[in-house]
Amino acid sequence: MRRIPKFLAAAVPLLLTGLVPLAPTAAAAAPACAAVSVPAPAGAKIESVQAERKTDAGTPAYCRITVTLTHSGSDHVKVVVALPETGWTGRLQAVGGSAYAAGNFGEPLLQAVRDGYSGVTTDAGVSSDALDTSWAVTADGKVDKTLLTNFATRSVHEEAQIGKDVTQRHYHRPITYSYWNGCSTGGRQGYSEAQNFADDFDGILANAPAVQWTQFAVATLWPQIVMNQDHDILSNCVLTAFRQAAIQACDARDGVTNGIVDRPDECSYDPRSLVGTKILCEGKEVTVTATDAEVMRKIWAGPTDERGRKLWDGLPKGADFAYLAGTEPNPADGTLTAPGFKVAVLWVQSFLEKQPGFDTSKLTYGQFADLFRQSVREYDNVIGTADPDLSAFRRSGGKLLTFVGADDQLIPPGGTLQYRERVERTMGGSQRVNDFYRLFLAPGVEHCGGGAGAQPANALGALVDWVEHGKAPATLAAATLDGKATRDLCAYPKVSRYTGHGDPAVASSYRCR
C-alpha cells in the first residue's frame, strides 16, 4: 500500500474537525493571535497556553504561542511556537539547543520566522543556560530521571507534535513540510528524532552532532586528566606552538598550503620534533620538553583505558585547544591549572558522581576509565543517541543531512564518522545510506562554524531541495567567513581535493574524490 504523504497525513485530523478547507480559497486576512486548543502528548498534561503578538526589531510581526506542559507535576516544560503574521510558506522548522540547553528562543527561532517558517523550540523543563546542570541532581542525591528523559529524547518529540498542532490550528490549514534544524546538542537531538521518532520530520539538518553522547561527554575530559596526572600543565602558548607545528607539517599534504589540515586523521606529525624549541610566552622564554611532547601526543591520540587500549578519538591535529585543553593561572599563586572542558566536567559531576562540586582535576587514569565505562553502562540507552538502525526513517521518506568541521575541538568528528560507518554496516553500504543520509566534512571548520575553512552557505536550503524536489546534494557550496575562498564540500565517503591547477581559493579548482 502506498504511504500517505506526511503533510496529508498531518492534515487528516484537521479535515475531520473542519479546520481545513476541502478546496483552495481566496487569500484571507492574517489569523488572530490567540491561544488555541492543544492536545496533550501521551503521558503529559497541558498546564497553560498563552499567545502574544510580537514585533521584534528586524523580524516581521509574528504570533508567539507558549505551551506549558508537565509529565510528573514537578517538571514544567515550555514549548514556544512562533507563527509569521504574513508570508507563511506552509513549512515548520523546529530549532535545537546546545550543551545542556534543549532549545534556543533567540536568533535561530526568529530566523525561522523571517524565512517564512512557523518556528518551534522547547526548554525541556531544564535550564536555558547551556552550562547549567543544577536541574540534574535531586535533593536526595539522585539524577532527576524525568528531566533527563525530557532533555534526552522526549521533549524534542513533543516539540514536533505541539509545533504541528499549534501551527495547523492557528492557520487552519495543514503543514506541507516539517524540518529540524540543530547543531551540537541540536545535532544530537536531530539524530534522536531519526532514530526514535521517524515520522516527526521530513528533513533533518543535524550538524556537529553530539551522538554517542555517553562516550563523548567523558572522552573530552581527557586533556585535563593527562596534564594533571603527568604533572605537566602546558601553557597556552606551548599548546599553540604544537598546533602550528602540526599545521606546518601537514598543511601541504592536500596540494594546497592554506593553513588548513584537510584530514587531521592522516596527519602523522610527531610532537617530539618540537622538543628543545624555545618559545616566547608572555615575555618569558620557555623550552619545550620531552614531557610536554608526551602530553601532547596523548591528547592527540585520545583517551585509553588502564591497559592502553583506545577508548575514543582525541583532539584533531590542527584544531584549536582553547576549550578542551586550554589552561589558566591559579588566582592564588599564579601556577597553571587545567580546568577541563566544561561540558565534560558537568557530565561527570552531575550525572556520574552525582556531586555538583566534585573535583575532576584529581581523577586518576584508572578512575577516568571507570567513569567512561560507567557513563556508557548507565546512560547509553537514555541519551547515547547511537542506534545505527535508521530503517524506519528511511521508510518514512525522511532525509538527514549533516556537516561536521574537521577542526571541531568540542565534538571531534571521529564520533560522527564512527556512527556513520556503523549505519553503513547495518543498512547495506554507503550508496544505500546516501539515498537518505548525507554527511559532509568541512576542512578547517570549527564547531558548528568558524575557523579558517569554507563552511556551508545554505545547508538548510540544500535539505529543502532534497526533500521537496528530490535533488540529493552531491556537494554543499561553502565559503570562508571573510568571503575570500570558496569550496564545494563533498558527500561522504568522498572528500574535496585540489586538482593541482587553478586558483586554490576557487571552488572550481577542487573535485570530489
Side-chain angles (χ1 to χ4, degrees):
M1 178 178 176
R2 186 178 180 184
R3 290 179 58 85
I4 299 173
K6 289 185 186 178
F7 71 91
L8 290 180
V12 169
L14 298 179
L15 287 165
L16 295 176
T17 56
L19 290 175
V20 180
L22 294 176
T25 59
C33 184
V36 296
S37 176
V38 182
K45 178 183 177 181
I46 301 297
E47 294 186 306
S48 66
V49 182
Q50 299 175 321
E52 180 184 10
R53 185 176 183 269
K54 302 285 286 184
T55 54
D56 295 320
T59 303
Y62 65 98
C63 182
R64 179 184 173 108
I65 295 182
T66 302
V67 179
T68 305
L69 61 142
T70 186
H71 305 90
S72 63
S74 60
D75 69 322
H76 305 284
V77 177
K78 181 171 70 174
V79 179
V80 168
V81 189
L83 305 140
E85 196 168 275
T86 59
W88 181 51
T89 61
R91 301 184 182 106
L92 171 79
Q93 182 183 150
V95 174
S98 60
Y100 294 101
N104 193 315
F105 298 89
E107 179 60 24
L109 190 65
L110 295 180
Q111 188 60 52
V113 171
R114 295 183 201 115
D115 292 340
Y117 293 82
S118 62
V120 60
T121 196
T122 182
D123 68 358
V126 304
S127 174
S128 293
D129 181 344
L131 295 178
D132 179 7
T133 57
S134 59
W135 52 271
V137 182
T138 62
D140 58 356
K142 298 179 180 179
V143 170
D144 191 317
K145 293 183 179 179
T146 297
L147 292 179
L148 178 58
T149 300
N150 289 352
F151 175 72
T153 53
R154 180 164 57 196
S155 287
V156 176
H157 176 51
E158 293 174 342
E159 174 184 350
Q161 292 177 299
I162 290 172
K164 291 176 181 179
D165 286 336
V166 168
T167 299
Q168 292 173 155
R169 282 165 172 74
H170 176 78
Y171 290 115
H172 297 276
R173 62 187 179 96
I175 292 168
T176 53
Y177 295 97
S178 58
Y179 294 92
W180 174 264
N181 187 0
C183 189
S184 193
T185 281
R188 185 197 64 77
Q189 291 168 316
Y191 275 69
S192 172
E193 283 291 283
Q195 294 170 19
N196 301 302
F197 303 103
D199 292 320
D200 278 356
F201 296 102
D202 300 291
I204 294 175
L205 178 62
N207 300 324
V211 293
Q212 306 191 135
W213 175 280
T214 54
Q215 293 100 329
F216 141 80
V218 180
T220 44
L221 194 65
W222 180 247
Q224 182 193 43
I225 304 298
V226 171
M227 285 193 272
N228 282 313
Q229 288 303 298
D230 287 17
H231 307 291
D232 186 29
I233 312 296
L234 275 60
S235 66
N236 291 326
C237 59
V238 172
L239 289 167
T240 298
F242 277 117
R243 179 195 182 196
Q244 291 173 341
I247 293 174
Q248 184 176 4
C250 297
D251 181 2
R253 285 174 58 97
D254 58 8
V256 178
T257 302
N258 56 1
I260 295 171
V261 179
D262 269 29
R263 291 292 301 271
D265 56 318
E266 296 178 353
C267 178
S268 58
Y269 170 72
D270 186 341
R272 289 177 297 183
S273 64
L274 207 63
V275 172
T277 301
K278 297 185 184 301
I279 299 170
L280 192 64
C281 288
E282 298 182 359
K284 297 180 180 179
E285 188 177 77
V286 298
T287 302
V288 177
T289 68
T291 305
D292 295 339
E294 177 61 10
V295 166
M296 194 66 258
R297 184 196 66 77
K298 289 181 179 179
I299 290 173
W300 273 331
T304 58
D305 67 8
E306 306 92 322
R307 298 182 182 181
R309 294 173 298 193
K310 184 174 180 177
L311 295 173
W312 207 245
D313 286 333
L315 190 71
K317 287 182 179 175
D320 194 2
F321 296 97
Y323 290 98
L324 255 64
T327 58
E328 57 188 38
N330 186 319
D333 57 14
T335 58
L336 286 177
T337 64
F341 181 38
K342 189 65 174 177
V343 172
V345 170
L346 289 169
W347 179 253
V348 170
Q349 290 175 331
S350 299
F351 295 92
L352 299 182
E353 295 291 346
K354 288 87 170 175
Q355 300 175 41
F358 180 81
D359 186 358
T360 58
S361 71
K362 300 295 193 297
L363 289 170
T364 66
Y365 282 120
Q367 290 169 332
F368 171 85
D370 286 341
L371 287 169
F372 187 94
R373 290 186 287 261
Q374 176 193 347
S375 182
V376 175
R377 184 175 63 250
E378 289 189 10
Y379 296 107
D380 207 44
N381 290 333
V382 180
I383 195 173
T385 323
D387 184 357
D389 186 356
L390 300 178
S391 300
F393 185 69
R394 179 173 61 188
R395 287 194 301 271
S396 77
K399 307 299 181 188
L400 171 59
L401 192 153
T402 293
F403 86 82
V404 295
D407 273 5
D408 191 342
Q409 62 166 311
L410 305 190
I411 303 178
T416 304
L417 292 172
Q418 184 184 124
Y419 174 77
R420 164 70 191 218
E421 290 167 0
R422 292 175 59 226
V423 173
E424 291 182 5
R425 289 198 299 270
T426 302
M427 302 189 64
S430 178
Q431 186 171 344
R432 292 193 67 191
V433 172
N434 270 341
D435 287 343
F436 70 95
Y437 169 21
R438 299 214 167 186
L439 171 65
F440 297 82
L441 282 174
V445 174
E446 298 176 353
H447 186 61
C448 297
Q455 40 220 295
N458 186 13
L460 181 59
L463 177 63
V464 169
D465 273 350
W466 191 10
V467 168
E468 299 181 18
H469 307 293
K471 298 179 180 178
T475 60
L476 289 182
T480 54
L481 291 176
D482 59 12
K484 294 181 179 179
T486 59
R487 189 168 182 177
D488 291 336
L489 308 181
C490 305
Y492 184 88
K494 293 184 177 181
V495 292
S496 172
R497 284 287 183 263
Y498 180 57
T499 61
H501 52 83
D503 185 348
V506 177
S508 59
S509 300
Y510 294 80
R511 293 290 182 272
C512 294
R513 298 175 183 173

